[in-house]
Structure formats: C-alpha cells, structure tokens
Amino acid sequence: MVVEEGYDGVRLGDEMTQEFIDDMTERFKNGKLIAKKYVYQILIAVKKIVYEEPTMVEVDVPEGVELTVCGDTHGQYFDLMELFRRNGSPSDKHWYLFNGDFVDRGSWSTEIALLLYAYKWLRPKGFFLNRGNHETDDMNKVYGFEGECKAKYNERIFRLFSESFSALPLATLIGSKYLVLHGGLFSDDKVTLDDIRKLNRHAQRQPGQAGLMMEMLWTDPQDEPGRGPSKRGVGMQFGPDVTKRFCENNGLEAVIRSHEVRMDGYEVQHDGKCITVFSAPRYCDSTENRGAYINIGPDYKLRFEQFDAVPHPNIRPMT
C-alpha cells in the first residue's frame, strides 16, 4: 500500500513512535484523518499484541509507577484529551488501563480507538485495554462505529477493527487485589479467577446471549441482595452479597467495572467492594454527569479523580 499523495502528517515506519502519536493526536483535533496504510499497520500490529495476551492480564504496579484506570470513553475524543491533559500522557512512569467501550455513540470513535491502539503498540507492557460490550459487531452496527468507520475509512478497516476487538482481553487483575472488567460478576457463585484465566475468548469471538464472556461484558450491580433481571434485556444484576462472596473466594479487595454512567463519574457500592468508573463526561451531550478515573500507585490505594466535559466541534453524537 502507498500513502496518499499530499499526505502532510508524520510518516510511520515499522515501529510506532511518540512523534507519530503526537502528530496523529493533533491531526484528529483538527478534523483530519491518518493515511489508510497507517490505520492498517496499527490494526494489524495491535491485534497481534492483544491476541497473545491472556484473557485476564495480570499487572503489578512497580515502584515509581502510577496506573490510571479509565472507564467508558465512547468516542468523546476531546474529553479524552482533557483527561490526558489533567492526568498526564502515557509514559514509562504512567501506565493506563482503559476498561472497554472506547467506541460507539460519540462521533470520534475511530480517533479514540486508533489513539489507544497506537499507545498499546508503543507501550505494550504499560498500556492495557479491556474489551467492553461495545467492542462487538452487534453494538457497532446499531450505535455508530461501523458507519463511522466506513464514512472515514472503509469497510475493510471496520472488519479489521472487529477482528482486533474480539482479540482483546476481557479482564485485568491489578496486584492480585482488584479485578477490573467492563460489566460485572456472574450468575454462578462458583466462578473463580481461574475460570476467567481458562476462558478461551478466541474460540468464541462474540459474547452471545449467555456464558462467562457475556456476563463479564454486560452485568450490572444492584443494591438489593441476590441477583435480579437486567434492565438491559441481556445479562443480569448482582447484589452486595454476590460481590462479597466473589471477593472472599478469590482474595480480592474489590471489583472495578464501568458500563454505566454515574453522575459523579464514579460510584462505590457494595460496602466498598464494587466500584464503577465512567470516563465520558456530559455523556452523549445530554447527561450532565462528570467523568472520572482512578489512580493506583505501588501502595494499591485507590485515588479517585473527577473531570468535566470540554467544548468540542459542533458534531452531534452518532453523526
């Protein structure tokens, strides 16, 4: 493939560079795209990296490093820029974990996905991505990402994104203390971290209507004990007793999940054992919520940070 004549951005060789990321970040802010050749390079490189990661990535936070856990970003590129401005860009000393739902709804989903993927390629051991329920074909068809991909690039690039999404890990275990996954817990109390480790996500690809993958991507907490039907029509809801048993059985301090808007950007439920973090402030330009992220250092204490939406070009969600 050749780069289009007249392309005025930084060139990409065989390896991702910070220079390319900085240039791409500015291009996206100014409403420009990157060359299709580079999109293919990023997708192919990152698919290979994430495919080879375990279904549950296990991470310790070394001395001198801070790990930031972010929730849904949903194509709100300018709010992601604000998050990086306030909290610092990914670096050797500042790791990031994005807990799914990078795409759909917001109108800059390809920009967010490509930027996160570029950082994953540059820093495979210090930048982590969990799959969300919107990194799936069904959702992308309905909530905008497929259409956006075809409008900005082409159908084949959407298909490659789809392949890369199905290769993403489903959970990250931080310091053996916090299980981070997009949706939530399970319909069966017997499920353990080992079951997640053994889950062959490559055989399944799409989450379907039942099973561990679907529950990890779709379930939500409730305040009442026990389990209840989901307001979403897929998955279910789990109470504080379910969370307590899961944490006790698996030696965890808490489960960190995303998947639902929270007015303060985050919420601590279930006696501190179930934490929701959501990083798309003023969600869909219609909900007056703040965004949040969680900083975790080598002491494994959770530090919650909130931020507000910033102005963006006058392009409505799902345009």
Side-chain angles (χ1 to χ4, degrees), residues 44-271:
I44 290 164
V46 173
K47 183 192 162 190
K48 184 175 189 304
I49 292 167
V50 297
Y51 189 94
E52 289 168 0
E53 288 183 323
T55 295
M56 182 175 77
V57 174
E58 303 187 38
V59 182
D60 291 316
V61 183
E63 280 304 318
V65 168
E66 186 166 64
L67 170 62
T68 300
V69 180
C70 302
D72 304 29
T73 49
H74 274 304
Q76 296 185 196
Y77 182 78
F78 293 86
D79 296 318
L80 176 61
M81 292 295 98
E82 173 69 358
L83 191 161
F84 283 152
R85 185 191 71 77
R86 288 173 50 98
N87 196 49
S89 296
S91 69
D92 291 345
K93 298 294 185 189
H94 198 150
W95 296 1
Y96 274 87
L97 163 59
F98 282 83
N99 192 27
D101 283 15
F102 328 123
V103 302
D104 281 341
R105 294 205 166 98
S107 288
W108 293 273
S109 293
T110 56
E111 285 81 357
I112 282 192
L114 288 169
L115 180 60
L116 297 184
Y117 274 18
Y119 271 121
K120 180 65 183 173
W121 188 6
L122 183 66
R123 309 186 167 281
K125 299 288 184 234
F127 195 91
F128 305 97
L129 301 169
N130 284 345
R131 188 179 190 178
N133 67 305
H134 278 269
E135 280 71 54
T136 57
D137 288 352
D138 291 353
M139 300 308 257
N140 295 160
K141 207 174 274 311
V142 178
Y143 290 102
F145 183 61
E146 181 175 344
E148 183 187 330
C149 248
K150 289 174 179 174
K152 290 177 178 171
Y153 295 103
N154 59 34
E155 163 116 22
R156 183 180 281 179
I157 281 171
F158 171 69
R159 299 276 19 122
L160 261 180
F161 262 120
S162 169
E163 285 183 26
S164 72
F165 289 165
S166 65
L168 288 168
L170 301 178
T172 303
L173 182 65
I174 301 175
S176 301
K177 291 173 183 288
Y178 304 107
L179 177 68
V180 186
L181 75 177
H182 182 72
L185 296 180
F186 306 96
S187 53
D188 184 347
D189 275 341
K190 297 193 191 71
V191 174
T192 65
L193 295 181
D194 264 346
D195 293 313
I196 300 173
R197 286 185 184 101
K198 289 178 199 152
L199 179 61
N200 182 359
R201 69 192 191 276
H202 301 313
Q204 195 174 342
R205 294 177 61 84
Q206 300 299 323
Q209 295 298 306
L212 290 192
M213 185 193 289
M214 183 278 290
E215 292 178 350
M216 291 171 76
L217 298 183
W218 277 96
T219 59
D220 297 298
Q222 63 181 25
D223 292 331
E224 307 76 40
R227 293 177 172 88
S230 173
K231 55 190 180 291
R232 300 172 186 271
V234 60
M236 50 105 208
Q237 297 188 172
F238 58 95
D241 53 331
V242 175
T243 305
K244 182 169 187 268
R245 284 192 297 271
F246 182 81
C247 287
E248 283 173 355
N249 292 345
N250 292 283
L252 297 171
E253 287 187 19
V255 173
I256 299 174
R257 41 91 61 181
S258 301
H259 194 41
E260 288 179 292
V261 67
R262 291 291 190 260
M263 293 313 290
D264 291 326
Y266 73 95
E267 186 180 7
V268 180
Q269 293 169 275
H270 297 182
D271 302 316

Side-chain angles (χ1 to χ4, degrees), residues 71-72 74 259-262 265 276-280 283 289-292:
D72 304 29
H74 274 304
H259 194 41
E260 288 179 292
V261 67
R262 291 291 190 260
T276 300
V277 60
F278 192 83
S279 305
Y283 180 43
N289 63 294
R290 303 188 80 189

